[in-house]
Amino acid sequence: MLAFAEGTSCTTTDPPLADSYRALLCRGELEGVGAASAHAVESLAMLERDLPIIDLERLASRDSRESKACADAMARAASEWGFFQVVNHGVGRDLLEEMRREQAKLFRLPFRTKDKAGLLNGSYRWGNPTATSLGQLSWSESFHVPLPSISREDCDYGKLNSLRGVMQVVADAMSRVAYTVAGTLAENLGQEAGGGEPVFPAGCDGTTCFLRLNRYPACPFAADSFGMVPHTDSDFLTILCQDQVGGLQLIKDSHWVAVKPRANALIVNVGDLFQAWSNNSYKSVEHKVVANSKAERFSVAYFMCPLSDSPVGTYGEPSPYKPFTFGEYRRSVRDDVERTGKKIGLPNFLKRSTVHGLD
């Protein structure tokens, strides 16, 4: 049995992640699984890469050749990486820094207050209560907030009166970026706009999306822990603002690569629904956050999601996927995780049924 150093238990602010770690480690040892093999955290030096950079000012250029070149570069990044960075995106640096300060104040509240007081309509989450192994434990905490609840009078912000306004402005600004990017990628595949408004993605009207505030506490077991377990996003598109601590990694050419933080850039990644809608032209790529032993990490993510009963659809036929709604997809993911501890996702909806990969 491993001996734990004193002082590694959680503070009154941090969730009891250390307790979860100990319990899962003991369970693994009892079952003959050592800490090093309990999950897929890599100990080798990680290759750090710059994501493709898309300048959104070029997209609005009066020069049609310039805007087309920008759109083509965005589509290429979505196809080859599934991730890219956008600059000149219109979300002010001062606003994001204010969001970071408000976020820090929120997460500095006592754990019991965050977990039990119903803040932000009870949207607080931590770790992974259903984890059965270290490979399923995320060393993080978050508030996953539906956009409509941000401005609702009955949404409890406690004493953080200024948080509501900042969250609303950030959500609005990230929403504009998301719809610009999604519309551009859809048009690249021939999707037409109608009535002066984008018809893609269907069922997304700004009230169906989410804003998630993330904190990754410093982890005394960082070499053996995930900040966020490997996963793909189950939405159409994600817009992420991360700090300069780093830790985001993704699969590129069958290898994990570390994403080099870039000041003033937002990260965009394709979600499962967009991959399905694009008939696999764009890729929803597995990614994770690695734990850090010295520094806490903050990020803000905007998730572009449709109504639960919205058909995901496709930009053209034939599609490799059976028709499904967002609600059906979420239920499938939930059932897989409850049954196997792991998300399967899109392979469940292939016309030729298989869970071993995409045809």
Side-chain angles (χ1 to χ4, degrees), residues 126-256:
W126 66 273
N128 182 357
T130 63
T132 58
S133 68
L134 289 178
Q136 298 170 8
L137 176 65
S138 291
W139 196 280
S140 57
E141 57 179 339
S142 67
F143 285 86
H144 192 73
V145 188
L147 294 196
S149 72
I150 294 175
S151 59
R152 280 174 48 179
E153 292 184 2
D154 61 350
C155 187
D156 185 3
Y157 285 81
K159 297 180 180 179
L160 304 175
N161 297 323
S162 56
L163 176 60
R164 183 196 304 270
V166 176
M167 284 182 65
Q168 187 66 65
V169 176
V170 169
D172 291 345
M174 286 191 166
S175 178
R176 289 191 290 271
V177 175
Y179 277 90
T180 295
V181 171
T184 301
L185 290 175
E187 289 175 11
N188 184 269
L189 294 177
Q191 177 71 30
E192 298 293 335
E197 295 293 334
V199 296
F200 172 84
C204 294
D205 62 3
T207 66
T208 58
C209 304
F210 294 81
L211 195 69
R212 187 162 73 197
L213 312 181
N214 299 309
R215 173 180 176 252
Y216 301 85
C219 176
F221 321 113
D224 297 321
S225 302
F226 293 119
M228 182 68 70
V229 297
H231 66 285
T232 59
D233 289 353
S234 296
D235 59 352
F236 270 109
L237 207 66
T238 303
I239 310 296
L240 175 72
C241 174
Q242 64 169 348
D243 59 21
Q244 297 303 294
V245 172
L248 176 64
Q249 298 180 2
L250 58 90
I251 292 287
K252 177 70 169 109
D253 300 326
S254 302
H255 297 285
W256 286 106

Side-chain angles (χ1 to χ4, degrees), residues 49 51-52 72-84 185 250-254 257 270 280-285:
R49 299 281 295 274
L51 292 177
D72 289 345
M74 186 187 297
R76 200 159 48 246
S79 297
E80 297 175 1
W81 284 80
F83 274 75
F84 51 92
L185 290 175
L250 58 90
I251 292 287
K252 177 70 169 109
D253 300 326
S254 302
V257 297
V270 173
N280 297 337
S281 294
Y282 303 138
K283 302 298 189 296
S284 180
V285 172

Side-chain angles (χ1 to χ4, degrees), residues 317-338:
E317 295 291 347
S319 170
Y321 299 100
K322 299 174 288 188
F324 63 93
T325 66
F326 182 41
E328 289 171 336
Y329 191 75
R330 288 194 300 181
R331 287 191 292 273
S332 173
V333 170
R334 180 196 62 204
D335 293 346
D336 286 337
V337 172
E338 289 179 353

Side-chain angles (χ1 to χ4, degrees), residues 1 5 16 30 43 45 49 62 81 99 115 130 167 183 189 196-197 216 244 272 293 303 326 344:
M1 183 72 64
L30 290 172
S43 59
R49 299 281 295 274
R62 294 181 179 180
W81 284 80
M99 181 73 259
D115 191 42
T130 63
M167 284 182 65
L189 294 177
E197 295 293 334
Y216 301 85
Q244 297 303 294
D272 297 344
S293 63
F303 296 93
F326 182 41
I344 296 174

